[in-house]
Amino acid sequence: MTNPADRAAPGSRVPEAVHRRRWAILGALMLSLLIVVLDNSILNVAIKTISTPAPTGLGATQSELEWAINAYTLVFAGLLFTAGLVGDRIGRKKVLIGGLIVFGAGSALAAESGSPGQLIAFRALMALGAAFVMPATLAVLMNVFEREEQPKAIGIWAGGVGLAIAIGPITGGLLLDHFWWGSVFLINVPIVVIAVALMLWLVPDSRDPRPGRLDPVGVVLSVVGLVLLVYGIIKGGELADFTDPAVLASIVAGLVVLAAFVVFEKRSDHPSLDVTYFKNKVFSAAMTAIALVFFALMGVTFFGVFYTQSVRGYSPLESGVLMLPLAVAQLIFAPRARLVVDRFGNKATTTAGLLLLAGMLAAFAGFEADTPIWLLEVVFFLMGTGMAHIMTPTSVVIMQALPREKAGSASALSNTFRQVGGALGIAVLGSVLSTAYRNDIEGKLGLLPAGLRDKAGESIEATLGIAAKLGPQGKDLIGPANDAFLHAMHVTALCGTVVALVGAAVVAVFLPGRQPVPQKGEEEEELVAAVE
């Protein structure tokens, strides 16, 4: 039986009991979000350790490291929209709890991986769970806050991403200093237990009264197309040859399958991706901005870890601490970005954020082995500042562009574009890094036996690993390896800069100057049901 306090007050669509505990619910949602983001930020610090030979790591190559990251992002992105629809259909609370349990199980298995292949597979399982967590958190948020409080709540929710970015690298560094590499995944398990308990206690269930039908064909086409495309890009970087027939075949096949996906979705009466949403130029511009931001940021973060640990010689913990300003800036500015939007509008705020991000990416093109470390800290802080003033306004634009009952779909779309952008960023910019490094280092590997040259050219870690095995003779490779990596980093950073500038141009043209104000008298269906 429903308590009278659970009923919505006049003029409100949120039951009073839910309204009273909305901030506690937001805290529980942020904890769920935290583990999904925490996992990737921890992994960023651990990739160098995982690339070292057993027993310290798994001896993963750069391409295997890229797949360890992209197996997660591709499965995550491919299932997000379907996960949002499942939540809309059977209830967001049920989906949240189920996703958390699968994520926790995948984390425990990943911690015990015995090979790079196993790690890649278990990362995909983790992504399966995470795909059901991420859209449900934002959908629940949209249903427990009134419209006027949503920008503030979304800003705090976005700040949770900054918190995870802050905690992740430092936690990962501490774990790697005291335990084996698998501990960076095992840490997720107790967090999952706490998050599930809070969900059961605090979060009300909600669903779409008119949910869409599931689209298994669309899901398969999108995942297969993205995997083929990303595989071709990564393989091209690994070979330093994008004209290789196998590389070209994979890329072309991926593009063909993705084109078939778009055609199928356009004709379907229950599409995974409703292409009609993109007729709205504002919605399309916000989605494009999110994708391009994560394309540039994820690609640059990937090489940033090797710069601090391999070239500069910092430990995983020290490397994690060095990334702290990026997270601190997001924690400070993400919840306050809405105030900037209120004063200057979405267009000015987001364009300025993207231009700032582009400038900081360009700064990496000037970094050398002896660049003062405080400059890196300033760049990270300003990158975080730019990110905060991009993610909050674009998230609000996207979530308010669709009807409230489609909150799960809007959240899923936003996160799909974020993850696809990040996966392509790692693949494309990682391949640029690999190609530039191999082309630069190959001329310095003449003294190595023929069987080792190809292996040594894969990455800076491969070169330094072989140099260490050669003893005094290998010392002559350290300087050229660092120089080759720095050159490759400069080229990659400039590519990321161009991508961020394209994003700035898109939002400057299409994003509105201010957020639309809902019309008076506009009524919305009550979607939240408080559960005793």
Side-chain angles (χ1 to χ4, degrees), residues 45-66:
V45 175
I47 55 177
K48 179 181 180 295
T49 304
I50 294 172
S51 70
T52 57
T56 303
L58 293 176
T61 65
Q62 182 163 312
S63 62
E64 287 171 335
L65 289 174
E66 290 177 39

Side-chain angles (χ1 to χ4, degrees), residues 269-350:
D269 59 355
H270 57 285
S272 287
L273 178 64
D274 191 338
V275 294
T276 61
Y277 293 157
F278 293 91
K279 292 179 180 179
N280 182 327
K281 293 181 180 179
V282 172
F283 181 83
S284 298
M287 297 295 271
T288 301
I290 283 179
L292 292 179
V293 163
F294 275 81
F295 181 100
L297 191 69
M298 292 297 289
V300 171
T301 302
F302 184 77
F303 72 63
V305 172
F306 289 100
Y307 171 70
T308 56
Q309 294 187 33
S310 298
V311 176
R312 301 300 296 260
Y314 289 102
S315 69
L317 176 57
E318 290 168 336
S319 181
V321 172
L322 288 175
M323 294 181 68
L324 192 58
L326 178 72
V328 169
Q330 290 199 51
L331 280 171
I332 293 172
F333 294 112
R336 296 169 174 80
R338 64 189 175 83
L339 303 176
V340 181
V341 172
D342 289 343
R343 182 168 182 179
F344 298 104
N346 285 303
K347 179 183 299 221
T349 303
T350 310

Side-chain angles (χ1 to χ4, degrees), residues 376-524:
L376 178 65
E377 299 299 88
V378 171
V379 166
F380 275 146
F381 184 83
L382 292 177
M383 284 178 70
T385 303
M387 284 289 296
H389 290 90
I390 298 165
M391 296 310 300
T392 298
T394 52
S395 295
V396 172
V397 166
I398 290 166
M399 294 305 294
Q400 294 189 343
L402 300 182
R404 187 188 302 277
E405 64 270 17
K406 300 300 180 185
S409 301
S411 174
L413 270 173
S414 172
N415 285 291
T416 296
F417 271 65
R418 181 184 306 179
Q419 294 300 321
V420 170
L424 290 175
I426 291 170
V428 174
L429 296 183
S431 294
V432 170
L433 185 74
S434 295
T435 302
Y437 181 80
R438 183 181 287 274
N439 289 340
D440 203 291
I441 197 67
E442 275 183 339
K444 285 98 172 174
L445 301 176
L447 296 178
L448 291 178
L452 292 179
R453 288 176 199 163
D454 189 61
K455 175 72 175 175
E458 286 182 352
S459 66
I460 185 173
E461 276 306 302
T463 308
L464 295 178
I466 289 173
K469 291 178 181 177
L470 294 176
Q473 183 184 358
K475 288 184 179 179
D476 292 338
L477 284 176
I478 296 176
N482 287 341
D483 292 342
F485 178 82
L486 288 170
H487 169 71
M489 183 181 79
H490 297 163
V491 172
T492 308
L494 291 176
C495 290
T497 301
V498 171
V499 171
L501 289 174
V502 170
V506 169
V507 298
V509 172
F510 294 110
L511 230 56
R514 59 179 181 174
Q515 297 180 46
V517 179
Q519 295 179 0
K520 292 183 179 180
E522 182 181 41
E523 295 184 359
E524 299 173 283

Side-chain angles (χ1 to χ4, degrees), residues 66-209:
E66 290 177 39
W67 274 115
I69 298 171
N70 280 339
Y72 185 94
T73 54
L74 290 175
V75 172
F76 190 50
L79 293 176
L80 268 172
F81 199 84
T82 294
L85 287 176
V86 171
D88 290 344
R89 178 180 291 271
I90 70 172
R92 283 84 181 236
K93 180 176 182 176
K94 298 182 184 71
V95 163
L96 258 174
I97 293 172
L100 285 169
I101 292 171
V102 172
F103 183 87
S107 298
L109 291 169
E112 299 299 328
S113 298
S115 68
Q118 288 183 8
L119 178 61
I120 291 168
F122 293 138
R123 288 274 296 161
L125 178 62
M126 292 170 65
L128 174 64
F132 286 86
V133 173
M134 180 70 87
T137 61
L138 200 47
V140 170
L141 181 154
M142 296 296 288
N143 279 280
V144 299
F145 284 90
E146 299 289 359
R147 188 177 182 91
E148 61 272 12
E149 280 190 323
Q150 287 173 6
K152 180 179 180 181
I154 290 174
I156 295 172
W157 180 87
V161 175
L163 180 64
I165 294 173
I167 294 173
I170 295 173
T171 304
L174 284 169
L175 291 169
L176 291 170
D177 274 4
H178 295 91
F179 305 101
W180 92 116
W181 64 267
S183 61
V184 301
F185 298 110
L186 199 60
I187 190 66
N188 292 331
V189 176
I191 302 176
V192 164
V193 172
I194 296 170
V196 167
L198 290 174
M199 290 293 152
L200 291 169
W201 177 35
L202 288 170
V203 176
D205 208 355
S206 63
R207 68 188 71 192
D208 186 346

